[in-house]
């Protein structure tokens, strides 16, 4: 299906109020004896007279709007007439109101008698003051050029200026000879003095020279000086003297045919003249008097009318000409080529494609559009009410004897022209207006039935595809019963093995009654067809599966169809496939949910000491890099904390003063500047008070140092006295193995063998326990197995992978320790969405088919079978998958909630 084009906003709102207003207006014009143009066209839009009437009356009426400068242009913007040549559009809008609504306004709004039509509708719309216009005081406007010479007005098409009646007081009128509207209100310069210069040229002048002779006061001086018309008594004569008429068009000269320049043509004309005079007694023949003969300038109808007339002429050469051009026109200008604008075009094309029958059968269809005609003849089609027995007539036709391998030239030519007619119908049916027009023509249905029931020959496949494309476009406007010939013909196409035929047929059937109020129940579908469609959903073909699901959605909307599927179709397999399609094309979207908020730890009271390995790393750098790495190792950014500059400087000196031999320390001022360089949010400030306090705002000491690569050290929480927190070891180590070796060696005092491994030999006289933090694994009495304690200590190391062990042993219970935010990860499997973030595509259609099945399954005693209902039997095996889709597919969550609720209610 071709994508529907964007529909243009209608310019006329045909509401009941509009219809009543037009009716009243028509009666008024009929009584007045004037002609009403119901939908006047201004530019490329039709004007809503009711809307225009309300807009003008709201602004005070025709006289007020016409007296206001640029008011009609403003109305033109209000009616979206465009911006190209706006003055002409405004005047046309004014004329539309003037001829159709002005007298109506005077009668119904002002309660006065309007002027006679001779001085209102029959004259131009220039001017205003209709309320005071009478036959005595109205003076018709003069010649346009004369008016422009007299007062310098703009053209009539401005729509904003006009000539009022004589008794109208128009302020700011221009005097003759003035420069124009653009100089109003400008300060005028005094008239310039021009010295007299005698004319030294010859006293005898030609006619043209005297006409073109310039005035002593040149035009450029007059305009450049800006002389006021009131101070120049010769302004009118100046204007008249300098008036230049429009240039005349040059005459077209044609050579006279004479015996000298064209002897042959001259003889032919003389001979024809003599023969004509001889046959008419010396008088010229009068048969062609008043007729425009060929070749004398008449161009004939346009290409659209020419092709229409040629198609209906019945002359083979003319029909070929028409079809050749119609194919091109329907392809290139299909969006503007409408059947309603060319009556008889659709009927002519249908009659042409119906000739396909005469190529294969001994018959020729004739379409009758007469109500009193008899259509019971086998070859006569009813063009008004349709041919209900068209399939029986086709079956009774006598086929012609034809060769399957060879075609005659005449057969090929006729089939080509018939296919072109079908292509034109197909191209034009892509436009919604044309599709709706074709749906009202019963011969179009007969053409589709005839074409789809032709003998199975490769030569007609193209025409059959055109017929199916047309059916896809028009079925949305049709309501087809199970006995309808078109419905039966479409169902028969589902037995085909051609993918294109199946796809278009499924779409055409699924769209039946789509644009009508009644629902499409798809009754009378053979179960063999339903089984084939159910099997096609297993094919890896998204377009075909989508068409099958659209069909199943319409088919399962009826409970009778669902009950028939229970015994004739493998409905369990269909439901399993539909559930799989719920996640078709799903993409994973990770999502984190905040479980616990982060807790900011308390600021450390002391600056942490550097571990020996970290100190060795820092000593490898030169200043100021070394001080920067030290600041990052011992401090972190915090906008709410601060530290005094003196404390920070003393800590830096105390860490590196003993090692000054490896490099000089930074001066105090340079060190404080380096703090702001290392931490962007840190600034040096002075707190005012009795004794000014110099601080660094935005940093605080770390609890645990960090190396230059950003790795945070681990603090040993082993307590020498498990009852006292103050007895913690506090050693900083980077890796978990180093921490474990430190505990085994320094706290558990396990001996080391010669090969470097620890000796975990059990000594009954020794008792071992775990003093890590608040761990109570072995109690105060401990155990004699050093190996068991050593393996347990590994659970406190940062490399622990088991989450429950890590959560229990690796977290320090110190109130100074910060706690990071905890998130719960969730992965969504979202499928296709439309522009409104709603479900779309195959998953949505599959969900809708499942919902139809759940709603229309038998309930009560009819639904019980083999100890359980149909609902439990069909949906219980897939219920976990449905819950998973509802939890992990956000676009389908609402549809899945509806489906699971229906299943729960029916179990």
């Amino acid at each position: 299906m071709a994508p529907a084009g964007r529909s243009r906003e209608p310019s006329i709102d045909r509401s009941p109020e509009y219809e009543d207003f037009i009716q009243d207006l028509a009666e008024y014009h009929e009584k007045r004896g004037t002609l009403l143009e119901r939908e006047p066209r201004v530019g490329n839009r039709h004007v809503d007279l009711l809307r225009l009437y309300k807009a003008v009356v709201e602004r005070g009426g025709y006289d007020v709007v016409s007296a206001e400068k640029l008011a009609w242009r403003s109305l033109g913007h209000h009616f979206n007439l465009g911006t190209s040549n706006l003055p002409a559009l405004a005047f046309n809008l004014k004329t539309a109101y003037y001829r159709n609504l002005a007298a109506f306004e005077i009668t119904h709004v002002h309660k006065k008698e309007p002027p006679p039509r001779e001085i209102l509708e029959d004259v131009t719309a220039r001017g205003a003051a209709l309320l005071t216009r009478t036959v005595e005081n109205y003076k018709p406007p003069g010649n346009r050029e004369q008016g422009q010479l007299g007062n310098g007005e703009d053209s009539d098409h401005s729509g904003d200026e006009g000539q009022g009646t004589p008794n109208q007081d128009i302020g700011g009128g221009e005097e003759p000879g003035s420069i124009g509207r653009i100089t109003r209100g400008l300060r005028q310069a005094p008239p310039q003095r021009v010295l007299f210069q005698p004319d030294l040229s010859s006293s005898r002048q030609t006619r043209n020279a005297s006409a073109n002779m310039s005035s002593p006061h040149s035009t450029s001086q007059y305009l450049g000086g800006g002389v006021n018309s009131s101070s120049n008594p010769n302004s009118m004569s100046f204007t008249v003297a300098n008036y230049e008429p429009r240039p005349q068009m040059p005459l077209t000269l044609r050579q006279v045919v004479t015996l000298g320049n064209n002897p042959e043509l001259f003889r032919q004309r003389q001979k024809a003249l003599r023969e004509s005079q001889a046959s008419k007694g010396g008088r010229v023949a009068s048969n062609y008097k008043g007729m425009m003969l060929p070749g004398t300038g008449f161009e004939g109808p346009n290409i659209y009318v020419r092709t229409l007339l040629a198609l209906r002429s019945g002359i083979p050469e003319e029909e070929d000409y028409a079809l050749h051009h119609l194919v091109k026109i329907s392809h290139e200008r299909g969006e503007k080529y409408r059947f309603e604008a060319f009556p008889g075009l659709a009927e002519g094309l249908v009659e042409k494609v119906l000739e396909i029958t005469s190529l294969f059968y001994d018959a020729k269809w004739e379409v009758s559009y007469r109500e009193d005609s008899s259509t019971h003849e086998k070859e006569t089609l009813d063009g008004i009410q349709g041919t209900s027995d068209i399939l029986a007539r086709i079956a009774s036709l006598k086929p012609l004897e034809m060769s399957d391998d060879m075609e005659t030239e005449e057969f090929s030519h006729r089939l080509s022209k018939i296919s072109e007619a079908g292509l034109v119908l197909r191209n034009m049916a892509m436009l919604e207006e044309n599709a709706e027009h074709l749906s009202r023509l019963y011969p179009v249905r007969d053409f589709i039935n005839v074409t789809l029931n032709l003998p199975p020959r490769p030569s007609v496949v193209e025409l059959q595809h055109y017929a199916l494309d047309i059916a896809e476009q028009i079925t949305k406007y049709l309501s087809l019963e199970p006995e309808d010939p078109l419905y039966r013909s479409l169902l028969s196409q589902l037995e085909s093995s051609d993918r294109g035929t199946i796809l278009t047929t499924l779409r055409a059937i699924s769209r039946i009654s789509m644009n009508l109020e009644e629902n499409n129940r798809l009754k009378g579908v053979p179960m063999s067809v339903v089984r084939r469609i159910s099997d096609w959903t297993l094919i890896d073909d998204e377009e075909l599966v989508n068409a099958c699901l659209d069909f199943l959605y319409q088919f399962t909307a009826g409970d009778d169809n669902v009950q028939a599927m229970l015994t004739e179709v493998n409905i369990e397999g269909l439901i399993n496939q539909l559930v799989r399609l719920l996640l078709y094309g799903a993409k994973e979207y990770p999502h984190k949910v905040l479980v616990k908020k982060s807790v900011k730890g308390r600021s450390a009271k002391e600056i942490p000491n550097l571990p020996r390995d970290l100190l060795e790393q820092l000593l490898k750098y030169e200043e100021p890099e070394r001080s920067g790495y030290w600041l990052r190792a011992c401090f972190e950014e915090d906008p709410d904390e601060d530290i005094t500059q003196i404390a920070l400087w003393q800590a830096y000196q105390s860490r590196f003063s003993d090692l000054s031999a490896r490099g000089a320390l930074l001066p105090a001022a340079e060190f404080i500047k380096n703090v702001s360089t290392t931490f962007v949010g840190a600034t040096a400030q002075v707190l005012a008070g009795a004794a000014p306090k110099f601080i660094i705002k935005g940093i605080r000491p770390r609890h645990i140092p960090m190396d230059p690569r950003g790795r945070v050290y681990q603090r040993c929480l082993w307590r020498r006295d498990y009852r006292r927190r103050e007895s913690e070891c506090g050693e900083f180590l980077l890796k978990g193995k180093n921490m474990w070796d430190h505990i085994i060696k320094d706290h558990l005092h396990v001996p080391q063998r010669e090969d470097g491994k620890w000796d975990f030999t059990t000594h009954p006289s020794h008792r071992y326990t775990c003093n890590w933090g608040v761990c109570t694994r072995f109690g105060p009495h401990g155990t004699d197995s050093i190996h068991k304690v050593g393996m347990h200590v590994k659970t406190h190391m940062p490399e622990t992978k088991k989450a429950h062990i890590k959560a229990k042993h690796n977290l320090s219970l110190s109130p100074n320790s910060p706690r990071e935010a905890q998130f719960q990860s969730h992965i969504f499997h979202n499928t296709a969405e439309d522009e409104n973030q709603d479900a779309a595509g195959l998953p949505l259609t599959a969900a809708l088919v499942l919902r139809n099945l759940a709603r229309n399954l038998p309930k009560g005693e009819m639904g019980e079978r083999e100890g359980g209902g149909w609902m439990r039997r069909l949906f219980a095996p897939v219920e976990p998958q449905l819950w998973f889709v509802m939890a992990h597919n956000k676009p389908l969550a609402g549809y899945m909630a509806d489906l699971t609720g229906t299943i729960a209610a029916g179990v």
Side-chain angles (χ1 to χ4, degrees), residues 716 718-720 729 739-752 758-761 763 766-772 775 778-779 781-797:
C716 180
W718 194 275
R719 296 182 181 180
R720 296 179 178 85
C729 171
M739 179 69 72
W740 186 75
D741 291 339
H742 162 69
I743 295 174
I744 295 298
K745 177 181 178 181
D746 298 337
H747 297 299
L748 295 178
H749 305 290
V750 177
Q752 195 171 13
W758 302 105
D759 184 7
F760 289 106
T761 304
H763 299 282
H766 290 78
R767 308 298 297 179
Y768 301 96
T769 186
C770 179
N771 291 343
W772 182 273
C775 180
F778 300 102
H781 302 292
T783 179
D784 58 354
S785 176
I786 183 59
H787 181 269
K788 185 182 296 185
V789 175
M791 296 301 103
H792 165 73
V793 168
K794 285 187 176 181
T795 63
H796 297 299
M797 301 300 103

Side-chain angles (χ1 to χ4, degrees), residues 95 97 174 238 298 314 338 360 374 433 538 561 592 611 654 715 736 848:
T95 302
Y97 188 94
E174 298 173 358
F238 172 79
F298 180 63
R338 293 172 171 82
F360 298 95
S374 176
E433 292 87 343
L538 300 172
N561 295 337
K592 291 184 177 181
S654 63
R715 182 180 180 182
L848 296 178

Side-chain angles (χ1 to χ4, degrees), residues 145-200:
E145 294 179 352
Q146 181 180 356
Q148 290 181 346
L149 286 173
N151 53 24
E153 289 181 354
D154 292 339
S155 67
D156 296 344
H157 300 290
S158 66
D160 307 315
E161 298 289 335
Q163 178 182 356
T165 53
N167 60 348
Q168 179 182 4
D169 185 14
I170 303 178
E174 298 173 358
E175 295 294 331
S178 64
I179 298 175
R181 186 184 299 115
I182 59 175
T183 60
R184 292 177 182 172
L186 299 179
R187 183 177 179 181
Q188 303 295 332
Q192 297 181 357
R193 296 183 179 180
V194 180
L195 298 178
F196 172 75
Q197 296 180 359
D199 188 6
L200 301 179

Side-chain angles (χ1 to χ4, degrees), residues 861-873:
E861 296 181 358
M862 295 181 59
E864 298 296 327
R865 186 172 185 267
E866 298 180 1
W870 279 108
M871 190 75 72
R872 184 180 299 106
R873 175 186 173 184

Side-chain angles (χ1 to χ4, degrees), residues 110-127:
H110 304 288
K111 307 300 180 182
K112 295 183 179 181
E113 184 68 20
R117 56 175 295 182
E118 290 78 7
I119 62 173
L120 185 58
E121 287 88 348
D122 294 345
V123 296
T124 180
R126 289 188 58 193

